[in-house]
Amino acid sequence: MTDPVNNPARFTPLPLRDVILDDAFWKPRLETNRTVTLPFLYGQLERVGTIDALDLRPRPLRVPRHPGSAVTPQMWWDSDLAKWIETAAACLATHSDPALEAQVDALIERMVAAQQPGGYFNTFFTALEPENRLTNERDWHELYNAGHLIEAAVAHAEATGKTAFLDMMERYTRFLMGVYGEGPGQRRGYPGHEEIELALVKLYRLTGKREYLDFARYFVDERGRQPHFFDEEARARGETPDPALLSHGDALPYEYMQAHRPVREQDKVVGHAVRAMYLYSAMADLAAELGDDSLRHACERLWEDLTTRRLYVTGGLGPSAHNEGMTTDYDLPNDTAYAETCAAVGLVFWAQRMLNLTGEGRYADVMERALYNNVLGGVARDGRHFFYDNPLESRGDKHRWEWHACPCCPPNVSRLLASLGHYFYGQNEGGIAVHLYAEGTARFEVGGQPVTLHQHTAYPWDGRVELSFDLERPAPFTLSLRLPGWCRDPQLSVNGEAVDLSGVRDGYVHLTREWDARDRVALHLPMPVERVYAHPDVRQDAGLVALQRGPVVYCVEGTDAGVSPHRLVLPRDAALSATFEPELLGGISIIRGEARVEESGDWTGTLYRTAPPRQATAPLCAVPYALWDQREPGDMRVWLRGE
Amino acid sequence: MTDPVNNPARFTPLPLRDVILDDAFWKPRLETNRTVTLPFLYGQLERVGTIDALDLRPRPLRVPRHPGSAVTPQMWWDSDLAKWIETAAACLATHSDPALEAQVDALIERMVAAQQPGGYFNTFFTALEPENRLTNERDWHELYNAGHLIEAAVAHAEATGKTAFLDMMERYTRFLMGVYGEGPGQRRGYPGHEEIELALVKLYRLTGKREYLDFARYFVDERGRQPHFFDEEARARGETPDPALLSHGDALPYEYMQAHRPVREQDKVVGHAVRAMYLYSAMADLAAELGDDSLRHACERLWEDLTTRRLYVTGGLGPSAHNEGMTTDYDLPNDTAYAETCAAVGLVFWAQRMLNLTGEGRYADVMERALYNNVLGGVARDGRHFFYDNPLESRGDKHRWEWHACPCCPPNVSRLLASLGHYFYGQNEGGIAVHLYAEGTARFEVGGQPVTLHQHTAYPWDGRVELSFDLERPAPFTLSLRLPGWCRDPQLSVNGEAVDLSGVRDGYVHLTREWDARDRVALHLPMPVERVYAHPDVRQDAGLVALQRGPVVYCVEGTDAGVSPHRLVLPRDAALSATFEPELLGGISIIRGEARVEESGDWTGTLYRTAPPRQATAPLCAVPYALWDQREPGDMRVWLRGE
């Protein structure tokens, strides 16, 4: 028997085609994503003109940006389409689909035809405002669009082996490398909306061309330096840089886009939440690729700030609609929580990179929290309705949309679901790590030998996980298993022999031995219903309690409670139990208990009185937050009144 | 001894010069209002160009509405100035001040010189947009400005006997009577922002000219009828009436200005709160003057709606900044409460009219609640800082302004304070009613004999009130004393003999006897510290408790608590006591008790945990809400966590 060893390692995700999720929780959602959401989103992109915009060609007259015409010009056209192609490519990686592949090929053909001499590609600026091309990176999203296009091209090449799109994006990237940089005649610019940085790392990893990594590093290093590029760029447009105009409310100038100071000097998660997540993801990538500890330490400081002061219990972030982003420490309003779906998706990206960089389970804990709660709540079970913002309290007037004026979230959650396999496992030279648990298999190689890892589990409804391997001959390697932070008392045995977990650090137990096909690993993660309390400085949660079981955060909906959930009080000693309901919302565990309800029958004709409300006993029923608003509309609360 | 009799009567306020408030609570504030606020506001009106705008004359070119020039054109110029003149007139009614009188006369001279041939008067439209005159009553405030000018002219004539301003406004009124009405060639219009209706009733009462009352009735009756005037008016401007553009968020079209249906069919307090209060005030006036029970019943339905579902415990109303007004039943957010000062001022207007109409104490209760809390909080003790909105919870970043882009509130609270004497007493043929209590005197006549009523009291800090009369010979009349709704156990004696109050209805005890100068009336209104609970449907107050003593609502400020008040928990059995602090904030009663405080020392490095916060005992100190934000900036809460 091998002792667990404390062996933080750098992990690499497995290729999508090597991970099969064959469970009751994720598999139906991924199937819906592939067979419903993907065509549905294409239809929406067609409907709003994003597809036809590919055929627009430069015209002498500008058209208004928001006419009532079929084609509604939007600066983020390319990003929406790119995320759809990336989703399609991820689906093609796991499921052969010649019709889909042809559909994507046809799109790419139209894109290649629209690429400008020299390599520039942006549908909006090429067709409608060629004179404004590359004049306002602060506000106009060109590098952001380029980033999503690069991500899509990489995913498409990885999935299909075809390179037309990749070649096109390498041409565009080389064009941009001529424009931006520290050399003579170059502009020392960088994007207002980060995205291209992490995309360039992907492009480097696929092509092996170091200049793409250097370009990403340039963008990250240049950010926030003085003299400030966004000031210079404004002057070049003939504008006076006005910090007040950029302040987006209470934030300092350029905090909105994390460009208020150089990234290594940043220690607060500020501004637009999605931009922040994409920037930090790139910083983590560069820290890994370059062994740059200064970037790693900056990421660690920012992580500490986010997770100890600014993160919703659902894994959401960015409470304010005003700046689509961050406010102040411990400010976590529930009813007005913005908590954009894209921000939680971005947090999953960042968390995964920090996990791969450090091997520390705390990153997997947050990744899991965001994934099972805020992210999954972003799309309905029908695959056709989406939340843009994700409040933790609702008065019954909040529902998922079929589309949004700024449709970034639907394709973002869709591409994450399509590539979910990336997040479950990590490989390194020493073996395999299991980050997330779900029934299914993972294929990898050890010493040239193919190995298949089997997970048998009903996670997240049950915390028992059995693992075994298919392999032809015994092989020595390390199996690293995550012990989730939410679990107080994990138990582990190998072939029936208990493994002492008392010395485990950083959330992973590392089992190194010669594994063979007869070995059986049994992990038990007991998941009682937990009451969760927020830090006393979170005024919006004062006196309140949330319910969590395993990684799943629960909420109470009016349709179960029969009253608005704010009228329920959960006694501290009330017994709470979980029950699996196979017929409810596709099969979920609900939480039941006995609460008290405040009665209003004796309040006729008065709004205030000196006698406290009378209370009666009432049943409590809580359902997973990610599945709210899929039955009768009504009030919802994550944070319940405690006592 | 006379038995109390249930004798609801219609009251008339006493003239300002006959009421003297000589107490420690109001008198210093009224002095500051007269000697500091009045000249300060004039200086502000000069500074922003409102005064100089009087000398603008029609010019061929329009100037932009918000240039950086000294004169910043505003459509509500005239209303700001009118409220200032009304305040000055009220001050002149109680305090002779030749310099002030000359200052006002000079202003009036400039206004008269600016009146247009035919009688029209509006500084903004005359000078800057003559072509737009009377083309958009829905949005452009001309009749609103006219209303405030009429109120000011009436107050000026009453205070000084001079009629130049009154004559000017009668000319303007006659001009408007030619434009609007049901006759041939007239427009069936009415204001988007109500105000002129109640002003016309004042003009009628001063002049006795019935046509002004009829004009007020016309505006009120026409409101909300179909075909809708605001639609017709929009078509006349060549616009397509777009209900969506008028909806101001979730409200139905024209609900914003209470013009969604005829006023007698309205039963919900909706839309812009100030407009609603001014409309309902006029409806109550007309109900009284015309004996119109249908208007009275509409007012009673709207009152019921407001006070049982939509009123803050501070007497504030209109929770939403979005429409400066109402939202839905039981929606009373504390931190984002708009609760505009003008709306509470308007509620005092309406409540007083309902009280005078019905003689029912419930109206005086709300009038007192609004006056002692939301209204008084609208101006700082220094007389130079003002709240526009009045939240019931603050994070330390909310302070009174010296001015506001829409400076309606400062002169509104100022004119109310200057005329506060109007609200304390009511007279009718049978005698005198005391609505509010304060050390001071009231002069009135009974049977041709002058009588002076003396109040001896330290109200609102002490509930004992002694009343006596100066009169030369005994006289029979009724003394009606309000028994406040907040008082559970009032006690009353006349010359030492207890009066049985058990049969009193409608909040007033009526003492009818032959009074002479030796009579002594002793009223005791015990005012223990009360815990106040909100209706269980108010989700924002669920689990919370407010503290009130007498009419005064309290709050906890961080400067006293040493921690943010959301961390305090007030046990249900904690003893609470009031102490008078002569040195604090001009002399106030504070509330002390023992609370518990949630500790955060053991939360290092985590935002959520499964163990509830630890609690320690902590002193509680609460101060009157109206006096918050006058010491060190910090967090504030009216609603405290109970248990």
Side-chain angles (χ1 to χ4, degrees):
Chain A
M1 189 67 225
T2 307
D3 283 340
V5 288
N6 188 7
N7 177 28
R10 186 174 151 198
F11 301 118
T12 304
L14 294 183
L16 282 184
R17 61 175 55 84
D18 291 335
V19 178
I20 294 174
L21 298 172
D22 197 20
D23 67 330
F25 185 85
W26 288 112
K27 187 183 179 185
R29 303 300 291 267
L30 304 194
E31 281 296 295
T32 299
N33 186 54
R34 189 173 59 83
T35 61
V36 178
T37 306
L38 189 68
F40 174 76
L41 291 184
Y42 190 86
Q44 294 287 39
L45 292 174
E46 276 195 315
R47 188 177 61 80
V48 301
T50 312
I51 307 291
D52 286 343
L54 289 174
D55 302 327
L56 292 178
R57 290 296 177 268
R59 49 178 74 177
L61 284 176
R62 289 172 62 165
V63 300
R65 284 193 181 157
H66 298 288
S69 66
V71 175
T72 305
Q74 291 189 321
M75 280 190 219
W76 48 78
W77 262 338
D78 294 343
S79 72
D80 296 333
L81 185 57
K83 282 186 277 190
W84 186 86
I85 295 175
E86 186 184 341
T87 308
C91 291
L92 290 172
T94 53
H95 294 78
S96 173
D97 184 339
L100 176 62
E101 190 165 346
Q103 184 184 11
V104 174
D105 287 345
L107 268 181
I108 290 170
E109 196 170 317
R110 287 161 80 178
M111 294 168 74
V112 169
Q115 187 167 30
Q116 297 299 292
Y120 180 84
F121 180 85
N122 183 295
T123 307
F124 178 88
F125 284 97
T126 298
L128 302 179
E129 300 190 8
E131 72 281 16
N132 289 328
R133 198 172 101 165
L134 296 177
T135 56
N136 188 345
E137 274 312 322
R138 186 189 69 194
D139 304 325
W140 287 354
H141 290 45
E142 275 161 296
L143 292 174
Y144 165 81
N145 282 305
H148 275 302
L149 289 164
I150 292 169
E151 282 201 272
V154 169
H156 186 252
E158 284 179 335
T160 65
K162 298 176 182 174
T163 61
F165 192 14
L166 184 69
D167 293 343
M168 167 190 158
M169 289 315 299
E170 286 200 67
R171 278 197 299 279
Y172 186 14
T173 303
R174 286 193 297 274
F175 167 82
L176 291 171
M177 288 165 63
V179 175
Y180 295 105
E182 297 175 285
Q186 288 180 303
R187 295 183 219 167
R188 295 187 62 157
Y190 48 87
H193 194 317
E194 306 92 317
E195 159 61 25
I196 194 172
E197 302 89 337
L198 72 86
L200 288 167
V201 176
K202 287 187 174 182
L203 188 61
Y204 156 70
R205 285 175 177 161
L206 179 68
T207 64
K209 296 177 185 170
R210 171 80 189 195
E211 59 262 40
Y212 301 144
L213 186 66
D214 291 339
F215 197 31
R217 181 174 60 178
Y218 157 77
F219 277 140
V220 168
D221 285 351
E222 188 63 29
R223 192 166 203 85
R225 284 191 176 164
Q226 293 292 348
H228 205 287
F229 173 68
F230 295 147
D231 287 345
E232 306 278 310
E233 187 192 36
R235 287 189 197 97
R237 288 193 304 272
E239 298 169 11
T240 304
D242 180 353
L245 291 178
L246 296 165
S247 70
H248 288 269
D250 300 324
L252 290 174
Y254 303 126
E255 271 201 353
Y256 175 68
M257 57 269 285
Q258 300 82 40
H260 52 302
R261 60 174 68 129
V263 299
R264 288 171 183 78
E265 298 170 23
Q266 297 188 24
D267 52 11
K268 298 293 293 178
V269 176
V270 296
H272 189 272
V274 180
R275 300 179 196 219
M277 295 302 102
Y278 288 178
L279 170 64
Y280 307 157
S281 294
M283 287 164 63
D285 278 337
L286 290 168
E289 294 295 344
L290 303 168
D292 185 333
D293 281 346
S294 65
L295 280 177
R296 172 178 166 152
H297 293 152
C299 283
E300 288 170 340
R301 283 195 307 273
L302 292 161
W303 185 269
E304 165 91 3
D305 181 58
L306 177 68
T307 57
T308 63
R309 287 182 282 273
R310 295 176 171 226
L311 186 65
Y312 283 102
V313 72
T314 53
L317 64 152
S320 171
H322 186 64
N323 64 347
E324 299 195 310
M326 311 310 293
T327 55
T328 55
D329 285 349
Y330 303 109
D331 181 39
L332 294 166
N334 292 305
D335 54 346
T336 60
Y338 199 67
E340 185 182 336
T341 302
C342 282
V345 169
L347 177 58
V348 171
F349 295 163
W350 185 29
Q352 184 206 32
R353 284 162 172 80
M354 294 302 291
L355 171 62
N356 289 336
L357 174 64
T358 66
E360 295 174 23
R362 59 184 174 134
Y363 300 109
D365 288 342
V366 168
M367 181 174 84
E368 187 182 50
R369 181 181 291 280
L371 202 51
Y372 279 80
N373 300 292
N374 192 305
V375 168
L376 186 60
V379 55
R381 291 178 61 232
D382 69 6
R384 303 164 61 100
H385 292 86
F386 307 90
F387 273 135
Y388 193 100
D389 48 322
N390 294 272
L392 283 76
E393 177 184 341
S394 165
R395 300 179 57 205
D397 50 359
K398 173 82 187 166
H399 309 294
R400 291 178 180 82
W401 306 55
E402 285 210 330
W403 198 240
H404 195 281
C406 175
C408 51
C409 296
N412 223 354
V413 68
S414 184
R415 70 178 175 139
L416 177 56
L417 289 178
S419 60
L420 195 67
H422 275 322
Y423 300 86
F424 272 71
Y425 301 93
Q427 192 178 13
N428 61 18
E429 64 232 26
I432 185 93
V434 185
H435 303 313
L436 298 174
Y437 296 102
E439 177 82 20
T441 59
R443 290 182 303 183
F444 58 103
E445 281 200 0
V446 167
Q449 182 188 189
V451 181
T452 300
L453 166 63
H454 293 267
Q455 282 198 51
H456 299 290
T457 179
Y459 198 93
W461 309 127
D462 188 292
R464 280 165 295 202
V465 186
E466 288 187 15
L467 303 107
S468 60
F469 300 102
D470 287 342
L471 71 180
E472 290 201 354
R473 54 184 188 282
F477 62 89
T478 299
L479 172 66
S480 299
L481 297 176
R482 171 170 163 256
L483 304 177
W486 54 257
C487 185
R488 299 173 190 231
D489 185 27
Q491 293 141 37
L492 178 67
S493 67
V494 178
N495 299 326
E497 198 173 328
V499 177
D500 176 17
L501 300 175
S502 59
V504 170
R505 294 285 176 277
D506 291 334
Y508 279 82
V509 56
H510 306 281
L511 303 170
T512 305
R513 58 180 281 156
E514 192 171 77
W515 295 98
D516 73 32
R518 293 162 306 177
D519 289 329
R520 294 291 179 272
V521 178
L523 178 64
H524 185 201
L525 304 169
M527 39 175 75
V529 178
E530 298 278 13
R531 287 171 164 82
V532 176
Y533 300 87
H535 189 286
D537 281 337
V538 182
R539 69 190 186 289
Q540 295 98 344
D541 297 338
L544 306 182
V545 57
L547 299 180
Q548 184 172 341
R549 182 171 178 270
V552 178
V553 174
Y554 281 74
C555 68
V556 171
E557 292 196 85
T559 185
D560 294 312
V563 296
S564 179
H566 77 264
R567 285 173 58 177
L568 296 178
V569 180
L570 182 63
R572 193 166 287 181
D573 57 359
L576 295 167
S577 61
T579 318
F580 187 73
E581 298 277 348
E583 302 302 318
L584 188 61
L585 291 166
I588 57 170
S589 284
I590 62 168
I591 295 175
R592 290 193 186 282
E594 188 175 278
R596 295 202 304 270
V597 61
E598 285 188 347
E599 298 182 317
S600 61
D602 58 336
W603 280 76
T604 313
T606 184
L607 187 52
Y608 302 105
R609 73 180 195 191
T610 55
R614 290 200 301 214
Q615 296 187 344
T617 58
L620 179 89
C621 173
V623 299
Y625 170 76
L627 294 166
W628 82 278
D629 189 45
Q630 308 213 20
R631 295 176 293 161
E632 296 75 27
D635 291 7
M636 181 279 291
R637 270 174 92 107
V638 169
W639 289 97
L640 310 173
R641 291 169 58 191
E643 64 161 16
Chain B
M1 190 65 223
T2 307
D3 281 343
V5 288
N6 188 8
N7 178 28
R10 186 175 151 197
F11 301 118
T12 305
L14 295 183
L16 282 185
R17 61 175 54 86
D18 291 335
V19 178
I20 294 174
L21 297 173
D22 197 21
D23 67 328
F25 186 85
W26 287 112
K27 187 183 179 185
R29 303 300 291 267
L30 304 194
E31 280 297 295
T32 299
N33 187 53
R34 190 171 58 82
T35 61
V36 178
T37 305
L38 189 69
F40 174 76
L41 291 184
Y42 190 85
Q44 294 286 40
L45 291 173
E46 275 196 316
R47 188 177 62 79
V48 300
T50 312
I51 307 291
D52 286 344
L54 288 175
D55 302 327
L56 293 178
R57 291 294 177 269
R59 50 177 74 176
L61 284 177
R62 289 173 59 164
V63 300
R65 285 192 182 157
H66 299 287
S69 66
V71 175
T72 306
Q74 291 189 321
M75 279 190 217
W76 47 78
W77 263 338
D78 294 343
S79 72
D80 296 333
L81 185 57
K83 280 186 276 191
W84 186 87
I85 296 176
E86 186 184 343
T87 308
C91 290
L92 290 173
T94 53
H95 294 77
S96 173
D97 185 338
L100 176 62
E101 190 165 346
Q103 185 185 11
V104 174
D105 286 345
L107 268 181
I108 290 170
E109 197 171 316
R110 288 162 80 178
M111 293 169 74
V112 169
Q115 188 166 29
Q116 297 299 293
Y120 180 84
F121 180 85
N122 184 295
T123 308
F124 177 87
F125 283 98
T126 297
L128 303 178
E129 300 190 9
E131 73 280 16
N132 288 329
R133 198 172 102 165
L134 296 177
T135 57
N136 189 345
E137 275 311 323
R138 187 190 69 196
D139 304 326
W140 288 354
H141 289 45
E142 276 161 295
L143 292 174
Y144 166 80
N145 282 305
H148 275 301
L149 289 164
I150 293 169
E151 281 201 273
V154 168
H156 186 253
E158 284 180 336
T160 64
K162 298 176 181 174
T163 61
F165 192 15
L166 185 69
D167 293 343
M168 168 190 158
M169 289 314 300
E170 285 200 67
R171 280 196 298 279
Y172 187 14
T173 302
R174 285 193 298 272
F175 168 83
L176 292 171
M177 288 165 64
V179 174
Y180 295 106
E182 297 175 286
Q186 287 180 302
R187 295 183 220 166
R188 296 188 62 159
Y190 47 87
H193 194 315
E194 305 93 319
E195 159 61 24
I196 195 171
E197 301 90 338
L198 71 87
L200 288 168
V201 176
K202 286 187 174 183
L203 188 61
Y204 157 71
R205 286 175 177 161
L206 179 67
T207 64
K209 297 176 184 169
R210 171 80 190 193
E211 60 261 40
Y212 300 143
L213 187 66
D214 291 339
F215 198 30
R217 182 175 59 179
Y218 158 76
F219 277 140
V220 168
D221 285 352
E222 189 63 29
R223 193 166 203 86
R225 284 190 176 164
Q226 294 292 345
H228 205 288
F229 173 68
F230 295 147
D231 287 346
E232 306 278 310
E233 187 192 37
R235 287 189 197 96
R237 289 193 303 273
E239 298 168 12
T240 305
D242 179 353
L245 291 178
L246 296 165
S247 71
H248 289 268
D250 300 324
L252 291 175
Y254 303 126
E255 271 201 354
Y256 175 68
M257 58 270 284
Q258 299 81 41
H260 52 302
R261 59 174 69 128
V263 300
R264 287 171 184 78
E265 297 170 24
Q266 297 188 23
D267 52 11
K268 299 295 294 180
V269 177
V270 297
H272 189 273
V274 180
R275 301 180 196 219
M277 295 302 103
Y278 289 178
L279 170 63
Y280 307 157
S281 294
M283 288 164 64
D285 277 338
L286 290 167
E289 294 296 343
L290 303 168
D292 185 332
D293 282 346
S294 64
L295 281 177
R296 173 178 166 152
H297 293 153
C299 282
E300 287 170 342
R301 283 196 307 273
L302 292 162
W303 184 269
E304 166 91 4
D305 181 58
L306 177 69
T307 57
T308 64
R309 288 183 281 273
R310 294 175 173 225
L311 186 66
Y312 283 103
V313 72
T314 53
L317 64 153
S320 171
H322 187 64
N323 64 347
E324 299 194 309
M326 311 310 293
T327 55
T328 55
D329 285 349
Y330 302 108
D331 180 39
L332 294 165
N334 292 306
D335 54 347
T336 60
Y338 199 67
E340 185 182 336
T341 302
C342 283
V345 168
L347 176 57
V348 170
F349 295 162
W350 185 30
Q352 184 207 30
R353 285 161 171 80
M354 294 303 290
L355 171 62
N356 289 335
L357 174 64
T358 66
E360 294 174 23
R362 60 185 174 134
Y363 300 108
D365 288 342
V366 168
M367 182 174 83
E368 187 183 49
R369 182 181 291 280
L371 203 51
Y372 279 81
N373 301 291
N374 192 304
V375 169
L376 187 60
V379 55
R381 290 178 62 232
D382 69 7
R384 303 164 61 100
H385 292 86
F386 307 89
F387 273 136
Y388 193 99
D389 47 322
N390 295 272
L392 284 75
E393 177 183 340
S394 165
R395 300 178 56 205
D397 51 359
K398 172 82 186 165
H399 309 294
R400 290 179 181 83
W401 306 54
E402 285 210 330
W403 199 238
H404 196 282
C406 175
C408 51
C409 296
N412 223 354
V413 68
S414 184
R415 71 177 174 138
L416 176 55
L417 289 178
S419 59
L420 195 67
H422 275 322
Y423 300 86
F424 272 71
Y425 301 94
Q427 194 179 13
N428 61 17
E429 63 232 27
I432 184 92
V434 184
H435 302 313
L436 300 173
Y437 297 101
E439 178 80 21
T441 59
R443 290 182 303 182
F444 59 103
E445 281 199 0
V446 167
Q449 180 188 191
V451 182
T452 300
L453 166 63
H454 292 267
Q455 282 199 51
H456 298 289
T457 178
Y459 198 93
W461 309 127
D462 188 293
R464 280 165 296 199
V465 185
E466 288 187 14
L467 301 107
S468 60
F469 299 102
D470 287 342
L471 72 179
E472 291 200 354
R473 56 185 187 282
F477 62 89
T478 299
L479 172 66
S480 298
L481 297 176
R482 172 171 162 256
L483 303 177
W486 54 257
C487 184
R488 298 171 190 232
D489 184 26
Q491 293 140 37
L492 178 66
S493 67
V494 177
N495 299 326
E497 200 172 329
V499 178
D500 176 17
L501 300 174
S502 59
V504 170
R505 293 286 175 277
D506 291 334
Y508 279 81
V509 56
H510 305 282
L511 303 170
T512 304
R513 56 180 282 157
E514 192 172 77
W515 296 98
D516 72 33
R518 292 162 307 177
D519 288 330
R520 294 291 178 273
V521 178
L523 178 65
H524 185 201
L525 304 168
M527 39 174 74
V529 178
E530 297 278 12
R531 287 171 165 80
V532 177
Y533 301 88
H535 189 286
D537 281 337
V538 182
R539 69 189 187 289
Q540 295 97 345
D541 298 337
L544 306 182
V545 57
L547 300 180
Q548 183 172 343
R549 182 171 177 270
V552 177
V553 174
Y554 282 73
C555 68
V556 171
E557 292 196 85
T559 184
D560 295 312
V563 296
S564 180
H566 77 263
R567 284 172 58 177
L568 295 177
V569 181
L570 182 62
R572 191 167 288 181
D573 57 0
L576 295 167
S577 62
T579 317
F580 187 73
E581 298 276 348
E583 302 302 319
L584 187 61
L585 292 166
I588 57 170
S589 284
I590 63 168
I591 294 174
R592 289 193 187 283
E594 188 174 279
R596 295 203 303 269
V597 61
E598 285 187 349
E599 298 182 319
S600 61
D602 58 336
W603 280 76
T604 313
T606 184
L607 186 52
Y608 303 104
R609 73 180 196 192
T610 54
R614 290 198 303 212
Q615 296 187 345
T617 59
L620 179 89
C621 173
V623 299
Y625 169 76
L627 294 166
W628 82 278
D629 188 46
Q630 308 213 18
R631 295 175 294 160
E632 297 74 27
D635 291 6
M636 180 279 292
R637 269 175 93 107
V638 169
W639 288 95
L640 309 173
R641 292 169 57 192
E643 66 161 13

